[in-house]
Amino acid sequence: MADNRAAIDRDIAMYRRMRLIRRFEEWQPALIDAGEIIGHTHQYIGQEAVAVGVCQALNADDVVTSTHRGHGHVLAKGADAGRSFAELMGKETGYNKGRGGSMHLADLSLGIYGANGIVGAGAPMAVGAAATFQRRGEPRVAVAFFGDGAINQGVLLESLNLAAVWRVPVVFVCENNQYAVTTAIRDVLAAPIVGRAASFGLAAEAVDGMDARAVHNAAERAVARARAGGGASFLECATYRFEGHFTAERGKDFGYRPADEVAAWRRRCPIVALGDALQGEGAWTAAERATADAEVEAEIERALAFARASAYPPADSAHDFMYARSYPETPARGWE
Amino acid sequence: MAARTLTLLQAMNEAFRQEMARDPEIVYVGEDVRAPARGESAGLIDAFGPARVIDMPISEAAMAGVATGAAMAGARPIVAFQVTSLLFPAFDQLVNQAAKLPHMLGGQTHLPVTYIVLGSGARDGRAGQHSDAPHAHLLHAGIKCVMPTTPHDAKGLTIAAIREDDPVAVFVPALAAGRQGPVPEDAYALPLGRGAVRRPGRDVSVIAVGHHVHWVLAAAAELAKTGIELEVWEPLSLLPLDREGLLASVGRTGRAIIVDDGNRTCGFAGELSALLAERCFGRLKAPIKRLTRSDIPIPYSRGIEQTAVPDAGKLKAAVEQVMQWRG
């Protein structure tokens, strides 16, 4: 029973984290419309099981690299929703002190090496971190998150090869949400993704990315292999973004996804699925689930209040942090 | 300190060895590092082993990215590009990742990465894709760059680059790589952001970037026989730049000719020229002249290769122009 209790606690933790991500993401359109978030964001809604299932298998000192659609990975790795909202709002209390925003969220103290605006660009950094852990004999693991769009990006393929040759402790997690912006992966890839990964000599596995438990189990195997010196692995997680590529797509129909396809995936919401499964298995009651939802809601409200109350960075601090060591007129200012 | 005669690349090799012996977090990553054609990494694998001296596949983009990730995890990588043009396959990882991450992340990480960029500049029929002098590309992205032209400076600036907590590119000018000179045995770092007057002179400041400095000095000695005294100033550190030293030299002579192997349009010579125009306008006795490569790929055949790059003939013509200028 003890094992069972641990599994239930783990699943409840995953449920709550997914729910936190969902609510964090659902708030963004209103905050954008109100001018509180600058520009646009790439919402992670629908894909929560991947980030949470994988990160639940990681230790605090393991590291992740993320994508332009990175909020989910960052929150799943333990980031605070308040400092994350603050960053999206460009506040000084944000993780990046307002320098990065949505596409560059990072907290190195939590092992989050950053969301990234360039598809596939985080993968070699994960390999480099993992090679460093390996050289030092540290039992740490690096995870590279990327989407199906990255599978045709050269630097990712170079990274897959390096990780396989060096047998470094990396887990590559391909979130196949079926579309690179508007381009269907089936139109730009002639062979299965896992097959491509396996051809590099990586242990490669296809996983149901809408099932947090399935993702978590696969991630645990891959992470354990990496930690034990067994080398790198590749997980292809089939998933779907319920919203558009980015928030600017709201209210528009670019016509690249059939409505019935979207509807069918939406019926497979990973948060509802895990919540229902736990209830069906008698692991928690409807009331306990409602309490968990309410607690997440309260956390989101606290987070928003924190972010809103935070100050913007002072205007004259724009040039800070360019270099560890500055020199006269370096970085150069644009008007002097 | 005892000094021996070494070549510029031998001096850099000594810098790698001494720094790697000092700090176990320094790793050396590159292509053909076990059997380097030019010798810059000779013996490193025997001294420090394959965990710290890493032979890469032909994957320049991943090579640059691996270094960034390793640096975020606390390593201090040295990354060697065998040909200047190999920066281009790695460009996103250099200018869009490494150069930007410390600022974008709000100072959460430093990136102590050293890029060794070998064979910079046009020479000997290397043609369009092996003759580039792409320092301006990295400068434009805010990456610190140094360009030593003597063995002494190469060792000191390489050590300084390795010890700097930011990405620094060390450009090794092709025609200076084999030059010999005295090099102290002990490890020493030269400061970034300091240029040097290589020859004092009253008439014209010639700002000579990279391997041009050597023939410019020879040309200056010749012109001195005709009574024209060139002051030869070498930046050594392109970013940070010794603005004070540059402005002091041109302030003294009132005339400036900038000699750079990079392309003309939006090149480093253009940047220096703009700086002089903005800060030194009242002291100038003649328009600033630039001698750069032409905006074409370096042609293969000897004669037309020479046409495309600065040389002593072009310098003499430029000196004549600025000396005879009557506004």
Side-chain angles (χ1 to χ4, degrees):
Chain A
M1 276 317 277
D3 280 357
N4 192 34
R5 187 65 244 171
I8 290 169
D9 288 347
R10 181 204 68 204
D11 287 353
I12 289 174
M14 290 204 295
Y15 175 90
R16 294 174 74 112
R17 215 13 91 158
M18 288 198 289
R19 184 89 199 147
L20 181 76
I21 295 168
R22 174 69 58 94
R23 295 298 296 136
F24 184 86
E25 297 296 76
E26 285 177 341
W27 260 100
Q28 287 154 35
L31 295 171
I32 289 166
D33 291 344
E36 292 186 81
I37 290 178
I38 309 152
H40 288 284
T41 62
H42 304 87
Q43 292 169 291
Y44 194 64
I45 293 172
Q47 302 181 209
E48 295 90 345
V50 181
V52 170
V54 170
C55 289
Q56 190 70 27
L58 298 178
N59 295 337
D61 65 351
D62 293 330
V63 306
V64 300
T65 62
S66 173
T67 71
H68 59 287
R69 198 176 305 289
H71 312 155
H73 309 130
V74 170
L75 291 169
K77 189 64 173 65
D80 173 66
R83 292 192 63 195
S84 300
F85 268 136
E87 186 58 34
L88 266 54
M89 294 181 186
K91 300 295 183 76
E92 182 73 12
T93 56
Y95 276 112
N96 307 35
K97 299 188 168 64
R99 270 72 178 168
S102 166
M103 274 194 288
H104 305 293
L105 264 182
D107 182 357
L108 262 67
S109 72
L110 293 171
I112 301 161
Y113 279 19
N116 204 301
I118 299 297
V119 169
M125 298 175 206
V127 173
T132 302
F133 303 152
Q134 183 189 53
R135 170 172 58 77
R136 294 182 188 142
E138 295 173 347
R140 298 165 68 188
V141 174
V143 171
F145 287 104
F146 50 89
D148 47 286
I151 205 70
N152 288 323
Q153 181 75 290
V155 76
L156 179 86
L157 303 177
E158 293 180 9
S159 302
L160 297 180
N161 178 57
L162 279 180
V165 170
W166 292 348
R167 295 179 64 79
V168 287
V170 171
V171 182
F172 294 103
V173 179
C174 176
E175 292 186 76
N176 182 357
N177 69 10
Q178 322 299 329
Y179 293 87
V181 191
T182 65
T183 302
I185 188 66
R186 63 180 173 274
D187 293 340
V188 292
L189 192 69
I193 289 174
V194 281
R196 181 177 287 187
S199 74
F200 283 97
L202 294 166
E205 191 178 338
V207 186
D208 179 0
M210 305 305 275
D211 180 343
R213 288 164 165 172
V215 172
H216 179 255
N217 290 338
E220 278 214 316
R221 288 192 293 275
V223 168
R225 180 186 300 120
R227 232 186 273 291
S233 321
F234 186 104
L235 303 178
E236 180 197 353
C237 303
T239 185
Y240 205 77
R241 59 172 153 76
F242 292 175
E243 304 299 327
H245 164 68
F246 65 154
T247 48
E249 212 175 308
R250 278 180 297 150
K252 297 173 187 151
D253 182 6
F254 293 169
Y256 63 93
R257 301 198 300 187
D260 57 342
E261 178 187 289
V262 178
W265 280 96
R266 278 180 170 275
R267 283 194 294 275
R268 299 192 53 214
C269 171
I271 306 172
V272 172
L274 183 59
D276 287 355
L278 285 167
Q279 241 174 290
E281 292 157 9
W284 65 358
T285 63
E288 287 170 323
R289 181 176 175 178
T291 301
D293 289 350
E295 284 169 2
V296 167
E297 216 50 38
E299 184 176 347
I300 287 285
E301 275 165 31
R302 280 195 306 275
L304 270 173
F306 168 81
R308 283 172 163 156
S310 296
Y312 290 103
D316 64 0
S317 72
H319 303 85
D320 293 354
F321 311 121
M322 178 65 192
Y323 300 111
R325 183 168 179 193
S326 292
Y327 293 82
E329 297 191 60
T330 308
R333 292 165 188 264
W335 63 89
E336 284 174 347
Chain B
M1 276 192 282
R4 304 89 351 113
T5 297
L6 298 178
T7 68
L8 188 149
L9 287 177
Q10 285 170 338
M12 290 181 70
N13 182 271
E14 187 165 270
F16 301 144
R17 283 168 184 270
Q18 289 176 337
E19 289 301 284
M20 290 182 77
R22 179 183 62 76
D23 183 348
E25 282 299 329
I26 299 174
V27 296
Y28 190 100
V29 186
E31 291 157 354
D32 307 302
V33 296
R34 289 158 199 266
R38 284 168 290 206
E40 72 284 349
S41 60
L44 296 182
I45 186 104
D46 298 327
F48 303 105
R52 293 180 62 199
V53 182
I54 299 158
D55 234 333
M56 284 286 299
I58 308 297
S59 300
E60 287 88 9
M63 179 164 82
V66 160
T68 302
M72 290 171 90
R76 303 182 73 87
I78 300 168
V79 184
F81 292 89
Q82 286 297 322
V83 180
T84 49
S85 316
L86 298 181
L87 294 177
F88 301 146
F91 217 47
D92 175 66
Q93 286 294 331
L94 296 170
V95 306
N96 203 27
Q97 306 292 337
K100 292 180 181 174
L101 278 169
H103 182 269
M104 284 195 309
L105 268 49
Q108 292 185 55
T109 186
H110 298 328
L111 290 180
V113 184
T114 305
Y115 307 114
I116 305 296
V117 189
L118 293 155
S120 189
R123 79 293 185 194
D124 295 339
R126 301 297 204 279
Q129 293 176 336
H130 276 47
S131 300
D132 281 308
H135 42 285
H137 290 76
L138 298 193
L139 294 169
H140 196 70
I143 295 176
K144 293 176 176 175
C145 292
V146 298
M147 194 180 286
T149 56
T150 65
H152 173 272
D153 292 352
K155 180 173 173 180
L157 287 173
T158 299
I159 288 177
I162 292 169
R163 293 181 185 175
E164 191 84 351
D165 281 338
D166 292 310
V168 182
V170 181
F171 281 89
V172 182
L175 293 174
R179 285 192 81 88
Q180 296 192 327
V183 179
E185 277 176 24
D186 291 350
Y188 58 94
L190 294 174
L192 300 189
R194 199 164 300 169
V197 175
R198 293 304 189 196
R199 177 192 173 97
R202 63 168 190 270
D203 294 319
V204 184
S205 295
V206 179
I207 295 102
V209 182
H211 55 209
H212 294 312
V213 72
H214 297 297
W215 65 254
V216 167
L217 284 168
E222 243 182 81
L223 277 170
K225 294 175 197 159
T226 69
I228 297 174
E229 290 290 345
L230 304 186
E231 173 150 308
V232 181
W233 188 79
E234 184 181 16
L236 288 168
S237 174
L238 313 187
L239 182 78
L241 177 68
D242 182 0
R243 287 178 171 77
E244 216 174 288
L246 171 69
L247 295 170
S249 174
V250 178
R252 282 192 295 272
T253 62
R255 299 182 186 89
I257 299 171
I258 304 157
V259 184
D260 178 34
D261 210 341
N263 276 35
R264 191 165 192 81
T265 303
C266 297
F268 184 58
E271 176 58 31
L272 297 187
S273 177
L275 186 67
L276 290 170
E278 285 177 337
R279 307 268 177 101
C280 215
F281 187 75
R283 314 288 293 272
L284 290 175
K285 301 171 186 162
I288 301 155
K289 290 288 295 178
R290 285 177 293 159
L291 300 182
T292 65
R293 69 169 58 184
S294 303
D295 285 350
I296 54 172
I298 291 300
Y300 167 69
S301 187
R302 241 180 247 291
I304 52 176
E305 179 192 65
Q306 194 63 35
T307 304
V309 296
D311 62 19
K314 294 176 187 118
L315 176 64
K316 281 171 190 161
V319 168
E320 213 166 291
Q321 280 181 37
V322 297
M323 289 302 290
Q324 289 173 2
W325 175 262
R326 296 288 177 267

